[in-house]
Amino acid sequence: MPKNLKMPPVPQGKTGLTALNALLKERHLLGPLSALHRAMGDIFQVPLPSFDPVVMIGPEANRFVLVGERNGLKWRNDKDPVVDLLHHGVLVIDGDDHDWVRKQINPSLHKKMIADYIDIMVSSTDEVISNWKIDRPLNMLDEMRKIALLILMRSVFGIDFKDRMEDLWDPILKCIAFISPGLWVLTPKFPRLGYRGAREKLDTYLFEIIRQRRVESQKGGDLLSYFVNKTDMSDELIRDQLLTLLIAGHDTSTASLAWTLYLLGENSVWMERVVDEVDTIIRQERPGFTYLKSLDVLNRVSKEALRLYPPIHLGSRVAAKDLQFGEYLIPEGQRVVYSIYLSHRHPAYWRSPNKFDPDRFLPEKVKQRPHYVYLPFGGGPRNCIGFSFAKAELPIVLARILQRFSLQLEPTKVHMHMGATLEPRPGVFMTAQSRVGS
């Protein structure tokens, strides 16, 4: 390790005040991080009490974190609430333990399995949208969460979650809020009322379905059956994986679907193009696996929504040893944050980066961009384990909705909320009209 390395710069004077003003105005960390990025470049350190991460942005930084030094950067940080919630879930373990657990999960979420899940995606969507009230504003953030939960639980767990959704809705949201960025970043002992009871309620449910599956010895192809019948995992370790998939698996899809509907509602020309494509290609048939590659406009719209509002907006690691990035030293024990959100809006790689433009994802334009500048599902060996699942779920659910309903965005101001995922708040309110012949 060269001796002349320096620490990443910290904001001084006016730059710090600009970042503070951005925090007060936007009330989430992406505001000040965006201001610091504009002022200081692609690497800097945030000097806050109890929270002083090195922040890295852009394709070189992303490759460094996700590939080049992935073994020198640990996911697990026992000080973070996500470890308190997920214990030894695949998302928060490292090394051989992670690789072994991921190997157990991979077959159920492999792209070869996706065709088997399509019918569940369509039927779950139908079940939720069949209850929509015409001409009454619907919060699409809530409606997409219902769909995502049904799909995940039915396909991956082999469980019909319909009868338990209302009872477990609030505990799920409380656990999501517990792991979301907030005052705990600055004050780790900041109390968050209601979390323990919510986690206990979810734990009771998860241990209940694990025990029931052991008794049934169900030989289905779902992941829960595989855990029970094909591995020597304890109930506690199975619980950790189920809760990880339950929280991360549905919340990312919820946010992606809601933001895509918001952007379509904001951009009527693109809404018309997507509806016309669905009508032309799928007509009145059930959306199926064979249609996925043909929905070119819808896929580009979905990719652009993921660029503007990536569900996983920030990633966090801890340096397991001294590391070098360019001329900078990242010392052992240092928290490192890489920003997918800021990489997706980096002006060096995206023209008019804040503009909604699905044509960015025409093949000829994709070829012009460097790798690791667009990574809504992460990258490298630890990319999102549900990548193939999500790539199918988004267009299938959206196509089914737009087959059956015309949607009109209500004039409600929407802002970004840094939860466990990047959410539209207070929600995406739309009115739905049944389409003739649907």
Side-chain angles (χ1 to χ4, degrees):
M1 187 79 62
K3 293 183 178 180
N4 59 346
L5 296 179
K6 56 186 180 181
M7 290 295 294
V10 297
Q12 304 287 339
K14 185 184 246 185
T15 300
L17 288 175
T18 300
L20 179 60
N21 287 334
L23 177 61
L24 295 174
K25 179 181 178 181
E26 301 188 37
R27 299 192 178 187
H28 57 70
L29 287 175
L30 290 176
L33 291 182
S34 297
L36 293 174
H37 182 218
R38 287 191 296 270
M40 303 181 69
D42 287 351
I43 182 169
F44 52 87
Q45 187 166 8
V46 177
L48 293 176
S50 303
F51 186 71
D52 60 347
V54 169
V55 180
M56 305 177 69
I57 301 150
E60 291 183 9
N62 296 332
R63 187 189 296 273
F64 173 84
V65 172
L66 298 171
V67 181
E69 286 292 348
R70 80 176 189 95
N71 292 323
L73 290 160
K74 301 184 298 182
W75 280 65
R76 190 173 187 85
N77 185 341
D78 290 330
K79 297 179 181 179
D80 283 356
V82 68
V83 174
D84 184 84
L85 176 65
L86 302 181
H87 297 175
H88 291 89
V90 67
L91 191 65
V92 293
I93 52 179
D94 293 294
D96 292 342
D97 289 341
H98 166 268
D99 294 346
W100 185 85
V101 171
R102 184 170 177 125
K103 186 177 180 180
Q104 310 312 307
I105 298 174
N106 268 333
S108 293
L109 294 173
H110 193 276
K111 60 184 178 182
K112 293 179 181 178
M113 292 291 296
I114 301 306
D116 296 337
Y117 297 146
I118 297 296
D119 192 59
I120 292 174
M121 295 176 183
V122 176
S123 60
S124 298
T125 303
D126 284 348
E127 192 167 326
V128 172
I129 67 178
S130 65
N131 294 314
W132 285 2
K133 305 297 183 184
I134 303 304
D135 287 333
R136 183 179 299 176
L138 297 158
N139 187 347
M140 290 300 170
L141 183 62
D142 290 342
E143 299 304 306
M144 296 307 104
R145 191 178 303 281
K146 295 174 189 175
I147 293 172
L149 279 168
L150 288 179
I151 290 172
L152 178 76
M153 297 298 285
R154 288 170 175 169
S155 56
V156 182
F157 292 10
I159 296 285
D160 192 343
F161 195 59
K162 177 177 57 178
D163 294 336
R164 297 299 302 271
M165 189 184 302
E166 183 176 353
D167 181 44
L168 294 175
W169 184 272
D170 189 58
I172 289 171
L173 293 184
K174 278 189 166 65
C175 286
I176 290 172
F178 178 73
I179 61 175
S180 302
L183 286 176
W184 65 264
V185 170
L186 303 178
T187 310
K189 295 183 180 180
F190 183 79
R192 280 167 285 172
L193 302 177
Y195 160 66
R196 295 295 171 188
R199 191 183 74 179
E200 288 172 4
K201 197 164 187 177
L202 278 179
D203 281 351
T204 297
Y205 170 71
L206 293 172
F207 283 122
E208 173 188 311
I209 64 175
I210 293 167
R211 286 193 296 268
Q212 184 176 353
R213 190 60 54 86
R214 288 198 187 280
V215 172
E216 294 172 350
S217 295
Q218 181 172 324
K219 299 194 182 300
D222 60 88
L223 184 59
L224 176 53
S225 294
Y226 180 81
F227 282 159
V228 167
N229 296 315
K230 301 292 185 181
T231 74
D232 58 357
M233 295 169 68
S234 67
D235 285 6
E236 288 73 20
L237 189 55
I238 294 175
R239 170 267 182 206
D240 298 348
Q241 312 321 315
L242 296 185
L243 187 56
T244 299
L245 293 168
L246 171 59
I247 297 295
H250 98 273
D251 200 39
T252 50
S253 295
T254 296
S256 301
L257 288 164
W259 278 120
T260 305
L261 288 172
Y262 169 74
L263 289 167
L264 285 173
E266 283 270 285
N267 296 272
S268 59
V269 171
W270 283 100
M271 175 72 89
E272 291 172 8
R273 289 184 64 182
V274 169
V275 171
D276 182 63
E277 179 180 71
V278 169
D279 289 349
T280 300
I281 293 174
I282 306 180
R283 301 177 297 281
Q284 296 301 314
E285 303 295 323
R286 284 174 69 87
F289 185 77
T290 56
Y291 292 119
L292 285 175
K293 289 185 179 180
S294 302
L295 296 171
D296 176 64
V297 177
L298 180 52
N299 281 317
R300 280 190 280 130
V301 165
S302 298
K303 289 176 181 177
E304 177 69 343
L306 287 168
R307 182 189 71 84
L308 286 169
Y309 302 106
I312 306 303
H313 39 83
L314 297 173
S316 179
R317 304 287 192 275
V318 176
K321 59 181 181 179
D322 288 353
L323 301 173
Q324 177 183 357
F325 179 73
E327 60 185 330
Y328 298 107
L329 169 67
I330 300 174
E332 180 180 353
Q334 174 68 54
R335 184 192 288 265
V336 175
V337 168
Y338 72 101
S339 176
I340 295 173
Y341 174 86
L342 292 176
S343 292
H344 282 189
R345 294 180 183 236
H346 200 308
Y349 305 102
W350 305 94
R351 186 174 181 178
S352 302
N354 297 320
K355 178 184 176 182
F356 176 69
D357 180 12
D359 282 342
R360 300 178 199 275
F361 292 93
L362 290 167
E364 60 272 21
K365 294 186 178 180
V366 172
K367 291 178 182 178
Q368 297 172 5
R369 286 192 291 273
H371 294 300
Y372 291 93
V373 73
Y374 178 71
L375 58 166
F377 300 100
R382 286 191 66 153
N383 69 334
C384 174
I385 200 167
F387 169 64
S388 296
F389 190 96
K391 279 185 65 178
E393 183 181 29
L394 295 183
I396 288 292
V397 171
L398 292 167
R400 189 55 162 176
I401 291 171
L402 296 176
Q403 269 187 317
R404 297 187 56 188
F405 290 96
S406 297
L407 300 176
Q408 182 70 39
L409 186 66
E410 291 288 296
T412 302
K413 187 174 182 179
V414 175
H415 64 270
M416 292 185 299
H417 170 74
M418 284 182 67
T421 58
L422 193 62
E423 285 188 0
R425 290 289 181 90
V428 177
F429 292 89
M430 306 183 92
T431 52
Q433 286 275 1
S434 293
R435 299 187 65 198
V436 176
S438 64

